[in-house]
Amino acid sequence: MPVDMRAKPYYLDDEAVQWVEDTIASMSLEEKIGQLFFNMGSSRTEEYLKMTVDKYHIGGIRYNPGTAAEVH
């Protein structure tokens, strides 16, 4: 089912739509699947975060509560 990225809620212009289409077309199946997941962020170390993104291609990270300095 095609998504109209020019309509609500996206409102993308032609250049942005092209970027999305090109980016998705260049992704491997593993990268596309990884984008479906958000990691809980069990560690805040740079090494852990880089490994998680590089290995699993996750769409994002959800942090446990912490101070702004800890999360940053």
Side-chain angles (χ1 to χ4, degrees), residues 13-41:
D13 61 20
D14 290 341
E15 183 179 347
V17 169
Q18 190 62 55
W19 180 88
V20 170
E21 291 173 350
D22 291 346
T23 300
I24 291 172
S26 71
M27 294 169 70
S28 68
L29 180 59
E30 184 176 298
E31 290 168 328
K32 291 174 186 176
I33 292 169
Q35 288 295 295
L36 299 173
F37 296 93
F38 273 62
N39 184 297
M40 186 58 180

Side-chain angles (χ1 to χ4, degrees), residues 54-68:
D54 291 342
K55 183 174 181 179
Y56 300 109
H57 314 289
I58 59 174
I61 294 178
R62 182 177 161 244
Y63 283 106
N64 291 317
T67 66

Side-chain angles (χ1 to χ4, degrees), residues 41 43-44 63-72:
S43 172
R44 291 187 174 100
Y63 283 106
N64 291 317
T67 66
E70 289 172 330
V71 173
H72 177 71

